[in-house]
Amino acid sequence: MAAHIRRRLRKGATTTAVAAAAVAALAASQAPAATLADAGSGDPKAAGEDTASAEDDGAATGNSPYYTDLPPLVTPDKPGSSSNLPVTGSAEAGIPASILAAYKQAEQTVATTDPACRLPWQLLAAIGKVESGQARGGRVDANGTTTSPILGPALNGQGFALIKDTDGGAYDSDAVHDRAVGPMQFIPSTWASWGQDANGDGRKDPNNIYDAALAAGRYLCANDRDLAIAADLDKAVLSYNRSTEYLRTVRSWFSYYQRGTHEIPDGTGRLPTAPSTPTPSPNPGTPSPTPTPKPSPDKPGGKPTPGPSKPGDGSTSPKPKPPTSKPTPAETFGSLENAGTGPLRATAGQAFDERVTVLARNALGAPLGKVSVTFTVTGDTGTLFAGGRKTVTLRTGADGTVTAPELRAGEKAGEFTVTAVAGTGRPRTLTYAATVTARQADAIARTDEKALVAAPGEKFADAVTVKATYKDAAAAGVAVTATMVKDPLGLFDNDKGPYFKDAAGKPVRTLTTLTTDADGMLRLPEIFADGTEGTFKLRLTTEGGASVVIELTIQVPEETAPEGTTPEETAPKETETPEA
């Protein structure tokens, strides 16, 4: 934040009273989507965080000063969501075009990598308002970089935290102490962990609104926060600057922007006027505590908390605390994604060609290794992972991916699901739909060519045996339907001629419960003839569309001569008439 608006002003009781009255009036005039957790108590612990103290963990801004201007008491005349922005409105409701675009782009990016966070762009806008006055009213170039640096005061322990230089002055031009930098006022040590390249220029620049907005979004979503929950949103804001007044100010602007806002040209935004004023150190001559050692990225452990350890906030009495090791953003689990898994389909009893593969990302959106992922099969098809397991847990590799074991389809056709779950506290879950199809055959044929003939009222002496194949291999377990038909295409069923018998011995001319054996063979049940003579057709069809038509003949058998005789000998002889 520019030096000319970072003048140190001592807060008095009057300022506090006026601010409190303004917040109360604002709250009465509008209905935010998520309410401030116990805001009336004045106790920051009600929101799950403490105000800045020597024992606090670090904040993104190093608890630097911020603008305390409050929104107008008359909010934009647009109740509800501001997804459809009005073209015009009050000057305070306007957000410079590049700044607004950066907030919305950050919301969309985070929604892709960490949808469970539910980051609203209006929260970024509220923080951007109190940190830099929307990057000094939108004074940014075509790439979104501020036209001049926005720097907070040196964090030298004199009224602020004591944070010695961590970047050699690369970001803040101060090689002695750190300063908050850019539109979202990150201190260099925090930017080193959370910085982003959102505009694709190959640089992670805290002075670029696109980079800074995405970094702020990921930072706010850390620790498995769901920002649609009031308590989580409060914790996120307090992690940015550990002050109850800061939380209330951000909440006020957040609610204001939710009621409606509009885009204005870059460089025309209204600048705020009142920076915050932390109480200065009572004994400037007393040295501040030594900074807590910075966590090592190769020693994860402890509760994940964004930002570096903060050594102090101006307190003159050293209060040492044991060093703790915290995971960096690069070690913090952020999201779980599909890593290119294709359609999951297989024939009953066969192995699936496709295997479920997932990708874990860290809080910065980069691949994350050593994440435990549990895969589970749910459904009644009998499908299991290789080895007969329904559930298996594996860890991601260095590239952030892990592949589930091979799936083997059960014998029952139908649909089932495979779920992949990772993370604790707020687990990420992916669900994959899968299908088991019935066993199929692409050909079916009789195993012999013997004529099938029966006398009326008798049964066919020879059994019908067929073999089903798929890609020239025996097709085991294939369902076959047998139907007596009038035409080869099976368009018309036949109600006369040959028939099967059901379990009660009654005639039936269609069977649907037939299945080939392990060798693809099927021997049909006995076939009987009624009293109708003629040639009839039996059509067999398989799952998969293969078919064969077999002829069945019912006819009266011809009389046969006894063995060793001739037809003349067996022919009837004329009776001689005696002469008169």
Side-chain angles (χ1 to χ4, degrees), residues 60-436:
T61 65
N63 297 314
S64 291
Y66 57 91
Y67 289 116
T68 58
D69 296 47
L70 292 172
L73 295 182
V74 179
T75 62
D77 188 18
K78 185 176 177 59
S81 171
S82 57
S83 57
N84 297 316
L85 302 178
V87 176
T88 61
S90 69
E92 284 290 5
I95 298 178
S98 293
I99 311 301
L100 182 59
Y103 297 150
K104 290 190 172 184
Q105 177 177 298
E107 177 192 62
Q108 293 171 359
T109 301
V110 172
T112 299
T113 59
D114 189 5
C117 175
R118 296 192 279 184
L119 169 73
W121 66 260
Q122 292 91 341
L123 180 59
L124 295 175
I127 291 176
K129 179 68 174 181
V130 301
E131 291 296 345
S132 69
Q134 307 300 15
R136 288 181 179 162
R139 287 165 175 80
V140 296
D141 63 20
N143 294 320
T145 302
T146 57
T147 54
S148 59
I150 302 177
L151 299 174
L155 299 175
N156 56 12
Q158 304 303 308
F160 325 107
L162 172 61
I163 303 181
K164 294 182 179 180
D165 176 66
T166 61
D167 67 332
Y171 293 124
D172 57 10
S173 301
D174 189 334
V176 180
H177 298 98
D178 272 350
R179 297 168 179 257
V181 181
M184 304 304 282
Q185 289 289 276
F186 279 98
I187 56 176
S189 52
T190 305
W191 184 260
S193 296
W194 292 88
Q196 301 285 297
D197 175 19
N199 64 350
D201 64 357
R203 299 179 57 215
K204 297 178 180 179
D205 184 0
N207 296 296
N208 182 276
I209 183 58
Y210 292 95
D211 294 357
L214 181 56
R218 295 201 189 283
Y219 183 93
L220 294 167
C221 287
N223 299 333
D224 290 337
R225 295 188 186 111
D226 180 352
L227 299 182
I229 298 174
D232 276 8
L233 189 144
D234 290 349
K235 290 177 182 178
V237 174
L238 285 168
S239 76
Y240 219 86
N241 190 313
R242 297 181 184 281
S243 160
T244 306
E245 183 180 345
Y246 180 85
L247 172 61
R248 289 174 174 162
T249 305
V250 169
R251 275 291 203 160
S252 296
W253 283 106
F254 176 51
S255 178
Y256 182 77
Y257 287 135
Q258 282 185 312
R259 294 280 294 176
T261 186
H262 60 282
E263 177 185 298
I264 60 176
D266 287 348
T268 63
R270 177 174 294 185
L271 292 175
T273 58
S276 64
T277 57
T279 303
S281 172
N283 298 302
T286 306
S288 296
T290 302
T292 303
K294 188 175 180 181
S296 171
D298 59 352
K299 295 180 180 179
K303 180 181 178 183
T305 303
S309 298
K310 183 177 72 61
D313 63 348
S315 175
T316 60
S317 300
K319 297 179 181 179
K321 74 189 230 183
T324 58
S325 178
K326 308 182 186 72
T328 66
E331 299 168 322
T332 303
F333 176 56
S335 63
L336 190 67
E337 303 172 11
N338 181 13
T341 305
L344 297 172
R345 290 192 293 265
T347 302
Q350 303 299 310
F352 282 73
D353 292 333
E354 196 75 17
R355 293 168 65 180
V356 176
T357 303
V358 299
L359 168 64
R361 295 187 183 274
N362 62 21
L364 299 177
L368 181 63
K370 298 182 180 180
V371 175
S372 292
V373 181
T374 299
F375 299 94
T376 303
V377 176
T378 304
D380 61 356
T381 64
T383 301
L384 298 170
F385 289 117
R389 295 169 293 175
K390 294 191 72 172
T391 299
V392 62
T393 300
L394 302 170
R395 283 180 174 268
T396 59
D399 63 352
T401 66
V402 62
T403 300
E406 180 183 68
L407 285 166
R408 181 161 289 276
E411 290 299 331
K412 183 178 179 181
E415 296 182 349
F416 68 98
T417 60
V418 179
T419 57
V421 181
T424 58
R426 184 164 55 88
R428 278 63 158 185
T429 302
L430 295 177
T431 301
Y432 299 82
T435 303
V436 176

